Amino acid sequence: MTATQPQKPRRRRLAQLERLLPGALYSWTEIEPFVRVSRETWRMRVIAGTAPPKVPTGARGIKYRGAEVLRWIDDPTGYEAAKAVR
């Protein structure tokens, strides 16, 4: 009897989108081809408020609003995230 090797989990590949819709929520892998910055650069810009804020979708899920990403794409240097009203 031989021991079986555990299989690595397969990463799900998403079909590349042709365009972003303003009313949809997108994951990083879906917006990456459109924003053309690295994941770390995007993360630092989100923290600084110069990229769209994250939208939590669960315990570990993060999405971005399509309208905000499109606004950022139109003017990446002038984009400023809306301030939260308290």
Side-chain angles (χ1 to χ4, degrees):
M1 189 160 31
T2 62
T4 59
Q5 295 289 329
Q7 289 186 338
K8 291 182 182 178
R10 289 185 182 172
R11 289 192 66 146
R12 186 176 67 171
R13 293 197 181 255
L14 299 173
Q16 188 169 348
L17 301 172
E18 292 181 19
R19 65 187 177 114
L20 298 176
L21 301 174
L25 292 174
Y26 296 100
S27 67
W28 165 252
T29 55
E30 292 170 320
I31 66 169
E32 183 179 18
F34 298 98
V35 298
R36 296 186 176 194
V37 295
S38 71
R39 189 175 201 148
E40 183 62 13
T41 299
W42 183 260
R43 188 183 74 80
M44 295 305 289
R45 288 183 179 189
V46 168
I47 291 169
T50 58
K54 302 179 219 178
V55 177
T57 58
R60 294 180 59 189
I62 297 293
K63 300 279 183 168
Y64 299 94
R65 295 186 193 286
E68 289 298 306
V69 174
L70 290 170
R71 194 165 70 95
W72 184 88
I73 290 169
D74 287 342
D75 185 16
T77 57
Y79 180 88
E80 197 171 309
K83 304 293 184 216
V85 178
R86 294 180 189 222

